[in-house]
């Protein structure tokens, strides 16, 4: 167990649950119909079928830093590459101790086989990096620096996109250093903003670091969810309510729940779709196109950034099928307005062969250059908003996704809504949870 106990959580909220026959993770899950795809309302709202005519995320790899990813679910067969168990707990990165990580992977790259979840970027692949949540920390001895080391390892992999659906209330110098390392290598890091808007709305990490794309949640009705955390660090919003995912670690049935974890996963998948179409672009260019193509209401003042939805609601279809959103400068980050390392080339690369059984755990060793100093819990000034003023809470992000004729109003309605969905995590002696 970690000394002091980190408050770290997966960013899933509490919602009614619907159980399906194949399982999804969420808080207070509601059983769903037999076919999980029928519950994935957001794919229809985003015009996924039209997007897939031009991009399925082929050639892209997303690092999933979470509770582990089981490569043997029908929807993930052949899609999970060799990763690393940064938690150093029992088992390896393919042993999902909660079900949350496998859900996130399916939402990003799932094939939908045998009634499973269909990913928004179904031809992309994932690399799992397992980290611990508070519960696991209370049960086993784990690596106290697993989050920062997982981010650094992901930065050195072939993955151009890093998804973190975990959150914590505490700032960490070690974690920030790993985030900055990944950012300088041209990686895009998407993190759940947190689900505690109604419980103090305390800033979450890693979402609040300047170099991380913080993603809030919207409802099926198109407004920012009341649980979705808000602040000047929010960059984008994406569907996060009434999303199917595994009910628990048994991975036998899906449940419907809410959480910014889902929103971060959909933002990561959107980046994969766009990057697949423009393989010569840098992460900065992909993100700039995402910002410029995001859904915003008619009353949204130009040049402003919402404290609830950031630049707006993700609309990969608007870019892929209608060309909205320009790449801009290849090496200037739209997050910090500072130079980055350019193309996300990556260093040490994982095997390109999919992981089969939760057998091999050739885990990357904890290197000497991994952050090891005591974590500071005092965060510096908030995330830069690229010089754009922060809008108030009354703006709307209504809009239509017409590329291919799909109505996008359901997730791009009054984006100004309430607050954000999940909690985000950090390291040493802190509680950590899924968002």
């Amino acid at each position: 167990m970690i000394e002091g106990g980190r408050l770290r959580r997966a960013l899933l909220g509490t919602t009614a649950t619907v159980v399906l026959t194949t399982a999804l993770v969420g808080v207070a899950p509601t059983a769903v119909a037999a076919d999980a795809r029928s519950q994935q309302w957001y794919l229809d709202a985003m015009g996924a079928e039209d997007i897939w005519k031009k991009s399925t995320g082929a050639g892209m790899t997303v690092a999933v830093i979470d509770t582990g990813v089981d490569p043997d679910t029908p929807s993930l067969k052949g899609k999970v590459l060799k990763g690393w168990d940064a938690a150093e707990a029992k088992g390896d990165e393919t042993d999902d101790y909660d079900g949350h990580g496998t859900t996130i992977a399916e939402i990003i790259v799932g094939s939908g086989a045998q009634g499973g979840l269909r990913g928004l970027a179904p031809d992309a692949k994932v690399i799992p990096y397992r980290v611990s949540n508070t519960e696991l920390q209370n049960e086993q001895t784990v690596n106290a620096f697993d989050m920062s080391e997982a981010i650094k390892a992901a930065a050195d992999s072939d993955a151009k996109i890093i998804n973190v659906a975990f959150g914590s209330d505490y700032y960490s110098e070690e974690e920030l250093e790993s985030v900055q390392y990944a950012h300088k290598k041209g990686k895009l890091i998407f993190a759940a903003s947190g689900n505690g808007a109604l419980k103090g709305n305390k800033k979450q990490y890693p979402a609040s670091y300047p170099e991380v794309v913080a993603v809030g949640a919207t409802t099926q009705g198109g407004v920012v969810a009341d649980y979705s955390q808000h602040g000047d660090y929010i960059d984008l919003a994406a569907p996060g309510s009434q999303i199917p995912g595994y009910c628990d670690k048994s991975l036998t049935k899906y449940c419907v729940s809410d959480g910014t974890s889902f929103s971060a996963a959909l933002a990561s998948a959107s980046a994969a779709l766009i990057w697949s179409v423009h393989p010569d672009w840098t992460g900065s260019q992909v993100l700039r196109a995402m910002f410029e193509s995001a859904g915003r209401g008619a009353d949204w003042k130009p040049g402003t950034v919402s404290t609830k939805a950031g630049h707006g609601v993700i609309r990969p279809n608007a870019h892929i099928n209608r060309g909205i959103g320009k790449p801009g400068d290849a090496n200037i980050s739209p997050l910090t307005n500072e130079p980055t390392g350019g193309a996300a080339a990556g260093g040490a690369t994982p095997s390109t062969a999919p992981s089969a059984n939760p057998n091999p755990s050739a885990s990357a060793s904890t290197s000497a250059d991994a952050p090891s100093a005591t974590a500071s819990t005092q965060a510096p000034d908030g995330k830069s908003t690229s010089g754009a003023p922060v809008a108030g809470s009354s703006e709307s992000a209504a809009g239509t996704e017409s590329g291919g004729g799909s109505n996008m109003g359901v997730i791009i309605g009054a984006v100004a809504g309430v607050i954000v969905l999940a909690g985000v995590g950090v390291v040493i002696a802190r509680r950590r949870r899924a968002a």
Side-chain angles (χ1 to χ4, degrees):
M1 286 186 263
I2 291 184
E3 210 175 303
R6 289 170 284 170
L7 221 183
R8 183 188 291 173
R9 55 207 176 279
L11 299 180
L12 287 178
T14 64
T15 321
T17 33
V18 183
V19 184
L20 292 190
T21 57
T22 329
L24 171 92
V25 177
V27 178
T30 303
V32 175
D35 177 25
R37 172 64 184 89
S38 68
Q39 300 294 320
Q40 293 183 272
W41 61 267
Y42 55 89
L43 292 180
D44 300 320
M46 297 174 77
E49 293 292 342
D50 291 319
I51 293 173
W52 294 334
K53 292 174 184 176
K54 291 189 176 179
S55 178
T56 55
M60 296 303 301
T61 303
V62 180
V64 174
I65 298 178
D66 217 290
T67 60
V69 175
D70 188 333
D72 292 325
T73 68
S75 195
L76 290 178
K77 286 283 189 182
K79 295 177 177 292
V80 183
L81 305 180
K82 185 72 189 86
W84 177 44
D85 176 28
E88 298 178 2
K90 294 177 182 176
D92 62 27
E93 70 278 6
T94 63
D95 294 311
D96 188 345
Y97 60 83
D98 180 87
H100 185 267
T102 303
T103 290
I104 296 303
E106 288 194 6
I107 287 175
I108 298 173
V109 305
S111 68
Q114 297 181 34
L117 294 178
R118 175 79 162 164
L120 181 58
D123 284 336
K125 296 187 184 298
V126 297
I127 302 175
Y129 292 90
R130 191 171 69 157
V131 294
S132 61
N133 63 10
T134 304
E135 289 69 29
L136 188 65
Q137 294 164 11
N138 290 334
E139 296 170 0
Q140 300 182 35
T141 298
V142 299
N143 174 16
F145 297 96
D146 55 354
M147 181 62 79
S148 59
E149 291 179 4
I151 292 173
K152 189 172 187 297
D156 286 333
S157 77
D158 272 345
K160 292 185 176 182
I161 300 162
I162 300 172
N163 187 90
V164 187
F166 262 56
S168 165
D169 298 340
Y170 303 94
Y171 167 87
S172 160
E173 198 64 44
E174 294 77 24
E175 198 168 275
L176 174 60
E177 289 175 4
S178 292
V179 163
Q180 291 175 332
Y181 176 78
H183 185 67
K184 288 177 181 177
K185 296 196 73 170
K187 310 287 179 164
L188 284 182
I189 308 173
F190 293 90
S193 66
N195 301 323
L198 301 177
K199 299 178 180 178
N201 193 47
K202 187 172 182 179
K203 190 173 283 192
Q204 296 293 292
Y205 299 91
S208 295
Y209 298 124
E211 297 82 4
V212 173
V213 184
V215 189
T218 59
T219 68
Q220 193 166 353
V223 297
V224 174
D226 60 359
Y227 57 84
S228 182
Q229 289 180 232
H230 56 279
D232 61 3
Y233 62 96
I234 302 300
D235 297 300
L236 288 168
S241 297
Q242 292 295 290
I243 310 293
Y246 285 109
C247 299
D248 53 44
K249 64 182 180 181
S250 69
L251 307 181
T252 55
K253 58 185 178 294
Y254 292 100
C255 290
V256 168
S257 61
D258 301 339
T260 51
S261 283
F262 305 130
S263 308
L266 290 173
S268 291
S270 295
L273 290 171
I274 294 172
W275 220 332
S276 179
V277 172
H278 306 288
D280 56 332
W281 280 12
T282 64
S284 292
Q285 292 175 307
V286 171
L287 185 58
R288 190 171 290 108
M290 291 180 71
F291 284 173
E292 292 186 6
S293 62
R296 295 181 278 270
D299 58 344
W300 192 302
K301 296 179 181 179
T304 63
V305 179
S306 167
T307 57
K308 305 289 179 65
H311 293 267
V313 182
I314 60 167
R315 295 193 306 168
N317 200 10
H319 174 77
I320 292 170
N321 281 311
R322 287 160 43 196
I324 298 175
K326 304 304 178 186
D329 194 306
N331 294 312
I332 297 297
S333 168
L335 290 172
T336 63
N337 276 332
E338 297 177 354
T340 65
T349 60
S351 165
T352 54
S355 284
N357 291 313
N359 213 0
S361 163
S363 44
S365 58
T366 305
S367 59
D369 58 339
S372 58
T374 303
S376 164
T377 57
Q378 271 213 299
D381 291 339
K383 174 181 288 191
S384 161
T385 53
S386 300
V390 176
S393 60
S394 61
E395 70 281 2
S396 149
T400 4
E401 180 64 278
S402 57
S406 174
N407 185 342
M408 192 59 175
V410 291
I411 69 168
I412 300 208
V415 152
V418 193
I419 13 198
V420 206
L421 250 203
V424 202
V426 170
V427 248
I428 221 166
R430 340 243 179 234
R431 295 192 300 167
R432 184 188 292 170
R433 54 201 177 275

